Amino acid sequence: MSIEIANESGVGVDEPSIVAAARFALDRMGVSPLAELSVLLVELDVMADLHQRWMDLPGPTDVMAFPMDELDSARRPDAAGLGPALLGDIVLCPEFAGDQAKKAGHSLLDELHLLTVHGVLHLLGYDHAEPAEEREMFTLQNRILGDFRTAAAEAARQSAQREADSKLLGAVGLEDSAGPEDPAGPGPTT
């Protein structure tokens, strides 16, 4: 799965983590591993311009999704049997999202993960204009976010455990003979 990210917002964010959230959501939705997605982080004025131009709404917003026109509108990209696809672009505004994160009582990165999953779902044809659609989309969004957080916490726990194990083995002289540069260990001797 190809996910490109460009940060033009001037706000430092954990870009690999945003890509991981997008990849997790796409995987969870059964999107082809050959799919392509672009994530762009922009400043407030750029987002305000996009919001006005495409939604005819004044001021900036937190996230916008731009699905590719070439997708068959009768079938969502997560439908079975679809091959590779250019899904489209997700545009995030970290400065706007930062204000929302403060109000919600969580970190900017948590808010950007939420908005990334939200954008992915929009690209896959989900919407929240009607109450039933909103329930479906937000239930799915919350489930994906919960699973992503659980998976990320487990990965962090495993990484910390590997690091602690490595330190312990090194302290007692049992470090792995295969160093990080040579996973196969020492070569044959002559």
Side-chain angles (χ1 to χ4, degrees), residues 38 40-42 47 50 62-66 89-93:
S38 171
L40 178 63
L41 290 82
V42 298
M47 185 59 100
L50 290 170
D62 50 4
V63 59
M64 292 184 72
F66 296 92
D89 304 310
I90 297 172
V91 181
L92 303 171
C93 184

Side-chain angles (χ1 to χ4, degrees), residues 6-87:
N7 188 350
E8 299 174 2
S9 71
V11 176
V13 298
D14 183 355
E15 294 168 22
S17 183
I18 294 169
V19 169
R23 180 169 280 115
F24 188 90
L26 292 168
D27 285 346
R28 203 38 74 99
M29 295 303 297
V31 173
S32 168
L34 300 175
E36 297 178 13
L37 169 68
S38 171
V39 180
L40 178 63
L41 290 82
V42 298
E43 297 175 334
L44 281 170
D45 60 337
V46 173
M47 185 59 100
D49 180 54
L50 290 170
H51 201 214
Q52 181 67 50
R53 187 178 326 154
W54 295 100
M55 303 295 291
D56 202 23
L57 296 170
T61 189
D62 50 4
V63 59
M64 292 184 72
F66 296 92
M68 292 303 286
D69 292 337
E70 65 189 50
L71 292 174
D72 180 359
S73 62
R75 293 185 52 198
R76 293 198 322 220
D78 58 337
L82 275 182
L86 297 172
L87 296 177

Side-chain angles (χ1 to χ4, degrees), residues 41 86 115 120 137 139:
L41 290 82
L86 297 172
L115 296 173
V120 165
M137 183 175 180
T139 297

